[in-house]
Amino acid sequence: MTTAPAHVSFAPLQAAVREAGLLRPRTGYYTLKFAANTALLAAAWALFGWLGDSWWQVAAAVLLAFAYGQTGLLGHDVGHAQVTRDRRAMTALGLVHGNLLLGFSYGWWMSHHTRHHNHPNHLDHDPDILRRVVAFSPRQAEGVSRLRALVIRHQAPLFFPLLNLEAVGLRVGSVIAIRRGIVRHPRTESLLLALHAVLYTTAVLCVLDPLRALVFVAVHQGLFGVYLGCVFAPNHKGMPVRDGDTEPDWLSRQVLTSRNIRSSRLHDFLFGGLNYQIEHHLFPTVPRPNLRRCRPLTMAHCAAAGLPYHEVSATRSYIEVLAHLRQVTDQVRRSAPRRG
């Protein structure tokens, strides 16, 4: 893991963020955000209905994939109590945005994502590491199936194509979680997932012939997965991984495993604030528009403590992810026993 001081106190940074008022809710911002996102979703589905049984529906699928991605990012804010601190309101908004609008379990995602925040990039405890078919450490390539071993041997060029399956993976994980009873409201979640599936399938099949319907779903769901993957991949992938029971202090654990993207307002919109991944991990309840203002405070604190703060361009972040995957593949190949 990257060299860092033995212990870095989080309290001074936490106090500075609180004194700056950055922990306070942004009700006006999120009211407008919900309205704009609802309009985006409605416009995408209206375009779908207006185009009818046409190959132009591929364009509608692209727009809808973007709208789904933005909806997912808004649901992410809800789950982190950035929108409201009222637990009932959080649950209602989360179920609507996750289960009903997107078709995956809000309860499963909350459990999954909370564990990720507690143990980012930990090979044994971070579910974002554990559920991937690619390997972020040679250890993850040990004792795998032949299919996964094949993927790991070519994981750098396969990484972005595999993101097309991300939406499928989210839904599979959701169904498994509900069947195992690890969500708080299994009946409600099941009902909303079923309602989403029925409405989505009915809309597609009532408007499109079978071939166009198949292409529409593939493009829509595939690009939805790619968008989510491209937003989340730069956050931790290619950053130091760790294992074992010894944990660094809270601040070091979050900063050393996270990567920021050097950002404009456009980045803030497209990445949903997750381009400030370091600040988001340190202050997960800070409303999205306040993360930009947390950044200079965090950078100054890390600099004073001698703690590395990693920030690169969006393009560079993807290059680093792929370089790390190639490095792991090379290590696996060198350690593989030779035949003959």
Side-chain angles (χ1 to χ4, degrees):
M1 196 166 188
T2 304
T3 303
H7 179 82
V8 181
S9 176
F10 180 50
L13 176 59
Q14 191 176 35
V17 169
R18 183 181 294 109
E19 289 171 9
L22 300 178
L23 293 172
R24 287 197 292 266
R26 294 286 298 271
T27 304
Y29 170 86
Y30 278 112
T31 299
L32 292 175
K33 192 68 180 174
F34 276 104
N37 194 72
T38 301
L40 175 62
L41 274 172
W45 280 115
L47 177 63
F48 171 82
W50 180 73
L51 288 173
D53 191 17
S54 163
W55 284 112
W56 284 105
Q57 289 288 8
V58 173
V62 174
L63 177 61
L64 203 55
F66 177 73
Y68 267 43
Q70 285 287 307
T71 302
L73 292 171
L74 196 52
H76 172 269
D77 290 6
V78 170
H80 277 296
Q82 296 176 23
V83 177
T84 176
R85 306 294 162 83
D86 183 279
R87 188 160 295 278
R88 288 186 177 180
M90 279 177 58
T91 300
L93 287 171
L95 290 173
V96 168
H97 282 75
N99 295 63
L100 182 60
L101 295 180
L102 299 181
F104 62 83
S105 167
Y106 172 72
W108 166 76
W109 177 84
M110 280 290 293
S111 172
H112 179 283
H113 200 60
T114 299
R115 285 181 288 142
H116 159 70
H117 268 259
N118 289 335
H119 304 283
N121 271 19
H122 196 291
L123 294 174
D124 299 313
H125 304 308
D126 183 355
D128 271 0
I129 290 285
L130 295 172
R131 75 181 182 90
R132 304 296 173 183
V133 68
V134 298
F136 296 99
S137 165
R139 202 191 89 179
Q140 289 188 297
E142 297 173 358
V144 298
S145 66
R146 289 186 178 181
L147 178 59
R148 189 177 178 193
L150 178 63
V151 170
I152 291 171
R153 284 199 296 272
H154 306 281
Q155 61 182 6
L158 286 176
F159 182 72
F160 285 106
L162 284 171
L163 293 180
N164 282 277
L165 301 176
E166 184 68 11
V168 175
L170 289 171
R171 290 176 173 86
V172 171
S174 297
V175 171
I176 291 173
I178 292 173
R179 290 187 64 180
R180 290 179 177 174
I182 62 176
V183 299
R184 292 184 178 182
H185 309 285
R187 291 184 179 179
T188 301
E189 292 219 23
S190 297
L191 177 62
L192 290 175
L193 286 183
L195 183 58
H196 171 87
V198 169
L199 292 175
Y200 184 87
T201 303
T202 300
V204 171
L205 293 181
C206 284
V207 172
L208 302 174
D209 68 32
L211 177 59
R212 290 191 180 97
L214 182 63
V215 172
F216 174 87
V217 171
V219 173
H220 174 211
Q221 299 298 330
L223 290 183
F224 171 42
V226 170
Y227 183 27
L228 288 182
C230 286
V231 167
F232 283 93
N235 301 342
H236 305 281
K237 306 300 182 282
M239 295 300 290
V241 297
R242 56 198 172 83
D243 56 14
D245 298 326
T246 303
E247 295 274 25
D249 62 82
W250 171 260
L251 190 145
S252 298
R253 187 192 319 173
Q254 306 301 332
V255 173
L256 293 177
T257 59
S258 302
R259 178 195 290 108
N260 269 26
I261 291 175
R262 200 174 298 118
S263 298
S264 65
R265 296 290 181 181
L266 179 61
H267 288 91
D268 294 357
F269 172 65
L270 294 176
F271 286 83
L274 297 182
N275 39 318
Y276 304 107
Q277 188 65 198
I278 294 173
E279 287 71 28
H280 171 60
H281 260 252
L282 291 173
F283 304 100
T285 62
V286 164
R288 183 193 303 186
N290 290 351
L291 290 170
R292 172 179 282 268
R293 294 173 57 196
C294 288
R295 175 178 170 272
L297 298 174
T298 305
M299 291 181 73
H301 186 73
C302 289
L307 186 66
Y309 180 103
H310 192 57
E311 181 177 87
V312 297
S313 69
T315 300
R316 180 64 193 174
S317 72
Y318 298 122
I319 292 172
E320 290 183 356
V321 171
L322 297 180
H324 179 78
L325 292 174
R326 282 193 294 269
Q327 182 182 45
V328 171
T329 296
D330 290 342
Q331 291 172 338
V332 170
R333 286 173 174 167
R334 285 196 299 268
S335 63
R338 295 185 178 181
R339 297 179 180 179

